[in-house]
Amino acid sequence: MDRSTRVGARFCAALLLLIALLSVSQRVSAEESGASAGGESPALITMGEAVPFASNASGEIGLMSPKAGALRRIETHCDLERGLAVAIAQEARKLGVAIAVVPRIEDATGRVLSIRIEGAVGQLGGAMSGTKSLTLRGELREGEVVIASFVAREQRTALTAGTCASLTQCGDKLARHIAKWLKKPVMRARLGSA
């Protein structure tokens, strides 16, 4: 075998090795991006563009609840509903959860994440008005069947943040907990300090 034949054979072998490595690399990156061996993408989860207050949010929910008037003031001043939905969707996407946000969750099909604010404890009046806490309850449904559920709670006592800022910080922390739960949803999960 002359020199040019040996060089050609080595070049072909190197080229075949490179093609094999690229094939393995593409398969590994597809698996890392969440695709299954069958090529299916993760199931899309739909949620509303706002996390509403539950109709009984001003009642007792197993922890100190504020008077109805204080809760309604928090509801109108703090913009928790839209802020929570945005934070949950962002945190879920960071973890690779396929999530869509829609204006009317009532029209959603497939996997639907329904969340309600059950309690926003804390009087308006800034940092000196005491501990603030936020309690959420959620369900993941497939059609009419509840396939996973959670209750989540966080609290904050901050001397440098007002009521709305403290509740928003609680919501941001809860959004991270909920995003992790969405990766492996289970029934009756207790998230945060719930």
mmCIF file of all heavy atoms in Angstrom, residues 50-85:
data_model
loop_
_atom_site.group_PDB
_atom_site.id
_atom_site.type_symbol
_atom_site.label_atom_id
_atom_site.label_comp_id
_atom_site.label_asym_id
_atom_site.label_seq_id
_atom_site.Cartn_x
_atom_site.Cartn_y
_atom_site.Cartn_z
ATOM 1 N N ALA A 50 -53.525 35.100 35.146
ATOM 2 C CA ALA A 50 -53.621 35.650 36.495
ATOM 3 C C ALA A 50 -53.936 34.522 37.463
ATOM 4 O O ALA A 50 -54.574 33.543 37.102
ATOM 5 C CB ALA A 50 -54.711 36.717 36.564
ATOM 6 N N VAL A 51 -53.432 34.659 38.691
ATOM 7 C CA VAL A 51 -53.741 33.714 39.775
ATOM 8 C C VAL A 51 -54.734 34.428 40.683
ATOM 9 O O VAL A 51 -54.347 35.289 41.473
ATOM 10 C CB VAL A 51 -52.456 33.321 40.545
ATOM 11 C CG1 VAL A 51 -52.811 32.445 41.738
ATOM 12 C CG2 VAL A 51 -51.467 32.631 39.632
ATOM 13 N N PRO A 52 -56.025 34.094 40.572
ATOM 14 C CA PRO A 52 -57.046 34.852 41.304
ATOM 15 C C PRO A 52 -57.097 34.514 42.792
ATOM 16 O O PRO A 52 -56.629 33.474 43.220
ATOM 17 C CB PRO A 52 -58.349 34.430 40.605
ATOM 18 C CG PRO A 52 -58.059 33.059 40.106
ATOM 19 C CD PRO A 52 -56.596 33.040 39.735
ATOM 20 N N PHE A 53 -57.699 35.420 43.530
ATOM 21 C CA PHE A 53 -57.988 35.158 44.934
ATOM 22 C C PHE A 53 -59.161 34.192 44.996
ATOM 23 O O PHE A 53 -60.122 34.324 44.238
ATOM 24 C CB PHE A 53 -58.350 36.453 45.670
ATOM 25 C CG PHE A 53 -57.161 37.283 46.044
ATOM 26 C CD1 PHE A 53 -56.538 38.086 45.111
ATOM 27 C CD2 PHE A 53 -56.662 37.249 47.337
ATOM 28 C CE1 PHE A 53 -55.431 38.851 45.451
ATOM 29 C CE2 PHE A 53 -55.558 38.010 47.688
ATOM 30 C CZ PHE A 53 -54.936 38.819 46.744
ATOM 31 N N ALA A 54 -59.084 33.210 45.872
ATOM 32 C CA ALA A 54 -60.200 32.285 46.078
ATOM 33 C C ALA A 54 -61.377 33.060 46.656
ATOM 34 O O ALA A 54 -61.193 34.058 47.362
ATOM 35 C CB ALA A 54 -59.784 31.161 47.021
ATOM 36 N N SER A 55 -62.579 32.596 46.370
ATOM 37 C CA SER A 55 -63.771 33.296 46.864
ATOM 38 C C SER A 55 -63.830 33.306 48.391
ATOM 39 O O SER A 55 -64.394 34.216 48.981
ATOM 40 C CB SER A 55 -65.031 32.653 46.295
ATOM 41 O OG SER A 55 -65.096 31.298 46.682
ATOM 42 N N ASN A 56 -63.219 32.318 49.041
ATOM 43 C CA ASN A 56 -63.227 32.262 50.507
ATOM 44 C C ASN A 56 -61.888 32.678 51.098
ATOM 45 O O ASN A 56 -61.575 32.324 52.223
ATOM 46 C CB ASN A 56 -63.604 30.859 50.986
ATOM 47 C CG ASN A 56 -62.588 29.819 50.549
ATOM 48 O OD1 ASN A 56 -61.739 30.088 49.693
ATOM 49 N ND2 ASN A 56 -62.655 28.632 51.114
ATOM 50 N N ALA A 57 -61.099 33.435 50.357
ATOM 51 C CA ALA A 57 -59.759 33.795 50.816
ATOM 52 C C ALA A 57 -59.764 34.604 52.096
ATOM 53 O O ALA A 57 -58.810 34.557 52.853
ATOM 54 C CB ALA A 57 -59.014 34.567 49.727
ATOM 55 N N SER A 58 -60.829 35.320 52.383
ATOM 56 C CA SER A 58 -60.832 36.122 53.603
ATOM 57 C C SER A 58 -61.226 35.314 54.836
ATOM 58 O O SER A 58 -61.137 35.805 55.937
ATOM 59 C CB SER A 58 -61.771 37.320 53.444
ATOM 60 O OG SER A 58 -63.081 36.865 53.233
ATOM 61 N N GLY A 59 -61.639 34.043 54.642
ATOM 62 C CA GLY A 59 -62.023 33.203 55.767
ATOM 63 C C GLY A 59 -60.827 32.507 56.376
ATOM 64 O O GLY A 59 -59.694 32.689 55.958
ATOM 65 N N GLU A 60 -61.075 31.697 57.378
ATOM 66 C CA GLU A 60 -59.997 30.946 58.021
ATOM 67 C C GLU A 60 -59.489 29.859 57.077
ATOM 68 O O GLU A 60 -60.283 29.142 56.480
ATOM 69 C CB GLU A 60 -60.494 30.304 59.308
ATOM 70 C CG GLU A 60 -60.756 31.296 60.422
ATOM 71 C CD GLU A 60 -59.506 32.021 60.876
ATOM 72 O OE1 GLU A 60 -58.443 31.391 60.936
ATOM 73 O OE2 GLU A 60 -59.611 33.218 61.166
ATOM 74 N N ILE A 61 -58.174 29.755 56.949
ATOM 75 C CA ILE A 61 -57.601 28.715 56.089
ATOM 76 C C ILE A 61 -56.532 27.931 56.841
ATOM 77 O O ILE A 61 -55.614 27.396 56.264
ATOM 78 C CB ILE A 61 -57.013 29.291 54.791
ATOM 79 C CG1 ILE A 61 -55.991 30.393 55.113
ATOM 80 C CG2 ILE A 61 -58.101 29.817 53.886
ATOM 81 C CD1 ILE A 61 -55.237 30.892 53.917
ATOM 82 N N GLY A 62 -56.633 27.928 58.146
ATOM 83 C CA GLY A 62 -55.676 27.163 58.931
ATOM 84 C C GLY A 62 -54.515 27.984 59.440
ATOM 85 O O GLY A 62 -53.571 27.470 60.000
ATOM 86 N N LEU A 63 -54.553 29.287 59.221
ATOM 87 C CA LEU A 63 -53.537 30.173 59.760
ATOM 88 C C LEU A 63 -54.214 31.507 60.033
ATOM 89 O O LEU A 63 -55.364 31.712 59.692
ATOM 90 C CB LEU A 63 -52.372 30.330 58.788
ATOM 91 C CG LEU A 63 -52.739 30.741 57.366
ATOM 92 C CD1 LEU A 63 -52.105 32.076 57.040
ATOM 93 C CD2 LEU A 63 -52.208 29.691 56.409
ATOM 94 N N MET A 64 -53.517 32.418 60.667
ATOM 95 C CA MET A 64 -54.127 33.692 61.004
ATOM 96 C C MET A 64 -54.503 34.429 59.727
ATOM 97 O O MET A 64 -53.650 34.729 58.910
ATOM 98 C CB MET A 64 -53.162 34.551 61.813
ATOM 99 C CG MET A 64 -52.992 34.083 63.213
ATOM 100 S SD MET A 64 -51.887 35.099 64.216
ATOM 101 C CE MET A 64 -51.600 36.543 63.270
ATOM 102 N N SER A 65 -55.755 34.696 59.524
ATOM 103 C CA SER A 65 -56.225 35.407 58.344
ATOM 104 C C SER A 65 -56.528 36.852 58.716
ATOM 105 O O SER A 65 -57.016 37.128 59.799
ATOM 106 C CB SER A 65 -57.491 34.759 57.792
ATOM 107 O OG SER A 65 -57.213 33.476 57.342
ATOM 108 N N PRO A 66 -56.274 37.761 57.790
ATOM 109 C CA PRO A 66 -56.611 39.150 58.070
ATOM 110 C C PRO A 66 -58.107 39.369 57.942
ATOM 111 O O PRO A 66 -58.822 38.540 57.415
ATOM 112 C CB PRO A 66 -55.866 39.915 56.976
ATOM 113 C CG PRO A 66 -55.824 38.947 55.844
ATOM 114 C CD PRO A 66 -55.682 37.587 56.486
ATOM 115 N N LYS A 67 -58.563 40.489 58.430
ATOM 116 C CA LYS A 67 -59.968 40.830 58.247
ATOM 117 C C LYS A 67 -60.225 40.992 56.754
ATOM 118 O O LYS A 67 -59.342 41.333 55.982
ATOM 119 C CB LYS A 67 -60.277 42.122 58.994
ATOM 120 C CG LYS A 67 -60.119 41.988 60.491
ATOM 121 C CD LYS A 67 -60.319 43.313 61.152
ATOM 122 C CE LYS A 67 -60.030 43.166 62.637
ATOM 123 N NZ LYS A 67 -59.631 44.382 63.253
ATOM 124 N N ALA A 68 -61.459 40.773 56.338
ATOM 125 C CA ALA A 68 -61.813 40.828 54.914
ATOM 126 C C ALA A 68 -61.406 42.153 54.290
ATOM 127 O O ALA A 68 -60.918 42.200 53.177
ATOM 128 C CB ALA A 68 -63.309 40.592 54.732
ATOM 129 N N GLY A 69 -61.592 43.249 55.011
ATOM 130 C CA GLY A 69 -61.238 44.561 54.466
ATOM 131 C C GLY A 69 -59.764 44.667 54.134
ATOM 132 O O GLY A 69 -59.377 45.204 53.102
ATOM 133 N N ALA A 70 -58.907 44.149 55.011
ATOM 134 C CA ALA A 70 -57.468 44.218 54.757
ATOM 135 C C ALA A 70 -57.090 43.372 53.554
ATOM 136 O O ALA A 70 -56.275 43.777 52.725
ATOM 137 C CB ALA A 70 -56.699 43.757 55.986
ATOM 138 N N LEU A 71 -57.700 42.190 53.407
ATOM 139 C CA LEU A 71 -57.392 41.326 52.278
ATOM 140 C C LEU A 71 -57.804 41.997 50.972
ATOM 141 O O LEU A 71 -57.072 41.961 49.987
ATOM 142 C CB LEU A 71 -58.082 39.975 52.418
ATOM 143 C CG LEU A 71 -57.735 38.985 51.305
ATOM 144 C CD1 LEU A 71 -56.262 38.616 51.366
ATOM 145 C CD2 LEU A 71 -58.582 37.743 51.418
ATOM 146 N N ARG A 72 -58.967 42.630 50.945
ATOM 147 C CA ARG A 72 -59.418 43.313 49.722
ATOM 148 C C ARG A 72 -58.493 44.474 49.380
ATOM 149 O O ARG A 72 -58.251 44.748 48.218
ATOM 150 C CB ARG A 72 -60.861 43.790 49.865
ATOM 151 C CG ARG A 72 -61.850 42.664 49.994
ATOM 152 C CD ARG A 72 -61.795 41.695 48.797
ATOM 153 N NE ARG A 72 -62.347 40.420 49.181
ATOM 154 C CZ ARG A 72 -61.796 39.245 48.904
ATOM 155 N NH1 ARG A 72 -60.673 39.161 48.239
ATOM 156 N NH2 ARG A 72 -62.345 38.132 49.305
ATOM 157 N N ARG A 73 -57.969 45.163 50.392
ATOM 158 C CA ARG A 73 -57.014 46.249 50.123
ATOM 159 C C ARG A 73 -55.728 45.674 49.529
ATOM 160 O O ARG A 73 -55.164 46.240 48.591
ATOM 161 C CB ARG A 73 -56.719 47.027 51.405
ATOM 162 C CG ARG A 73 -57.883 47.920 51.830
ATOM 163 C CD ARG A 73 -57.567 48.706 53.074
ATOM 164 N NE ARG A 73 -56.443 49.601 52.853
ATOM 165 C CZ ARG A 73 -55.587 49.966 53.819
ATOM 166 N NH1 ARG A 73 -55.731 49.511 55.043
ATOM 167 N NH2 ARG A 73 -54.603 50.781 53.548
ATOM 168 N N ILE A 74 -55.256 44.552 50.056
ATOM 169 C CA ILE A 74 -54.069 43.901 49.488
ATOM 170 C C ILE A 74 -54.349 43.491 48.040
ATOM 171 O O ILE A 74 -53.533 43.703 47.150
ATOM 172 C CB ILE A 74 -53.656 42.686 50.347
ATOM 173 C CG1 ILE A 74 -53.052 43.163 51.665
ATOM 174 C CG2 ILE A 74 -52.673 41.796 49.593
ATOM 175 C CD1 ILE A 74 -52.828 42.067 52.683
ATOM 176 N N GLU A 75 -55.540 42.947 47.809
ATOM 177 C CA GLU A 75 -55.919 42.502 46.471
ATOM 178 C C GLU A 75 -55.874 43.663 45.474
ATOM 179 O O GLU A 75 -55.393 43.501 44.356
ATOM 180 C CB GLU A 75 -57.331 41.910 46.531
ATOM 181 C CG GLU A 75 -57.803 41.274 45.259
ATOM 182 C CD GLU A 75 -59.176 40.629 45.418
ATOM 183 O OE1 GLU A 75 -59.685 40.520 46.549
ATOM 184 O OE2 GLU A 75 -59.732 40.242 44.391
ATOM 185 N N THR A 76 -56.342 44.826 45.871
ATOM 186 C CA THR A 76 -56.386 45.954 44.937
ATOM 187 C C THR A 76 -55.071 46.717 44.841
ATOM 188 O O THR A 76 -54.794 47.320 43.813
ATOM 189 C CB THR A 76 -57.517 46.942 45.314
ATOM 190 O OG1 THR A 76 -57.322 47.373 46.660
ATOM 191 C CG2 THR A 76 -58.866 46.296 45.179
ATOM 192 N N HIS A 77 -54.230 46.674 45.864
ATOM 193 C CA HIS A 77 -52.994 47.457 45.847
ATOM 194 C C HIS A 77 -51.755 46.707 45.352
ATOM 195 O O HIS A 77 -50.813 47.322 44.879
ATOM 196 C CB HIS A 77 -52.689 47.986 47.265
ATOM 197 C CG HIS A 77 -53.535 49.135 47.665
ATOM 198 N ND1 HIS A 77 -54.802 48.978 48.182
ATOM 199 C CD2 HIS A 77 -53.315 50.468 47.608
ATOM 200 C CE1 HIS A 77 -55.321 50.159 48.448
ATOM 201 N NE2 HIS A 77 -54.443 51.078 48.101
ATOM 202 N N CYS A 78 -51.711 45.402 45.511
ATOM 203 C CA CYS A 78 -50.434 44.686 45.336
ATOM 204 C C CYS A 78 -50.234 44.004 43.986
ATOM 205 O O CYS A 78 -49.139 43.539 43.704
ATOM 206 C CB CYS A 78 -50.262 43.654 46.449
ATOM 207 S SG CYS A 78 -50.102 44.405 48.087
ATOM 208 N N ASP A 79 -51.233 43.878 43.140
ATOM 209 C CA ASP A 79 -51.106 43.237 41.821
ATOM 210 C C ASP A 79 -50.466 41.855 41.928
ATOM 211 O O ASP A 79 -49.602 41.492 41.134
ATOM 212 C CB ASP A 79 -50.319 44.133 40.855
ATOM 213 C CG ASP A 79 -50.419 43.638 39.415
ATOM 214 O OD1 ASP A 79 -51.451 43.056 39.053
ATOM 215 O OD2 ASP A 79 -49.438 43.797 38.661
ATOM 216 N N LEU A 80 -50.866 41.103 42.925
ATOM 217 C CA LEU A 80 -50.329 39.752 43.099
ATOM 218 C C LEU A 80 -50.792 38.803 42.003
ATOM 219 O O LEU A 80 -50.047 37.915 41.584
ATOM 220 C CB LEU A 80 -50.769 39.179 44.457
ATOM 221 C CG LEU A 80 -50.136 39.782 45.691
ATOM 222 C CD1 LEU A 80 -50.776 39.189 46.941
ATOM 223 C CD2 LEU A 80 -48.645 39.540 45.691
ATOM 224 N N GLU A 81 -52.012 38.974 41.529
ATOM 225 C CA GLU A 81 -52.609 38.001 40.610
ATOM 226 C C GLU A 81 -51.793 37.835 39.326
ATOM 227 O O GLU A 81 -51.425 36.725 38.950
ATOM 228 C CB GLU A 81 -54.053 38.406 40.293
ATOM 229 C CG GLU A 81 -54.940 38.344 41.526
ATOM 230 C CD GLU A 81 -56.238 39.092 41.364
ATOM 231 O OE1 GLU A 81 -56.186 40.324 41.125
ATOM 232 O OE2 GLU A 81 -57.286 38.448 41.461
ATOM 233 N N ARG A 82 -51.509 38.914 38.653
ATOM 234 C CA ARG A 82 -50.732 38.831 37.399
ATOM 235 C C ARG A 82 -49.257 38.560 37.678
ATOM 236 O O ARG A 82 -48.623 37.807 36.964
ATOM 237 C CB ARG A 82 -50.897 40.099 36.585
ATOM 238 C CG ARG A 82 -52.301 40.237 36.044
ATOM 239 C CD ARG A 82 -52.363 41.233 34.904
ATOM 240 N NE ARG A 82 -53.723 41.431 34.472
ATOM 241 C CZ ARG A 82 -54.361 40.632 33.637
ATOM 242 N NH1 ARG A 82 -53.766 39.581 33.152
ATOM 243 N NH2 ARG A 82 -55.607 40.870 33.287
ATOM 244 N N GLY A 83 -48.733 39.159 38.718
ATOM 245 C CA GLY A 83 -47.325 38.955 39.053
ATOM 246 C C GLY A 83 -46.993 37.502 39.355
ATOM 247 O O GLY A 83 -45.961 36.986 38.934
ATOM 248 N N LEU A 84 -47.884 36.834 40.078
ATOM 249 C CA LEU A 84 -47.674 35.417 40.387
ATOM 250 C C LEU A 84 -47.680 34.561 39.126
ATOM 251 O O LEU A 84 -46.838 33.684 38.957
ATOM 252 C CB LEU A 84 -48.760 34.915 41.341
ATOM 253 C CG LEU A 84 -48.527 35.137 42.818
ATOM 254 C CD1 LEU A 84 -49.799 34.841 43.596
ATOM 255 C CD2 LEU A 84 -47.385 34.291 43.319
ATOM 256 N N ALA A 85 -48.641 34.806 38.235
ATOM 257 C CA ALA A 85 -48.733 34.018 37.004
ATOM 258 C C ALA A 85 -47.462 34.172 36.164
ATOM 259 O O ALA A 85 -46.911 33.186 35.658
ATOM 260 C CB ALA A 85 -49.964 34.425 36.201
#
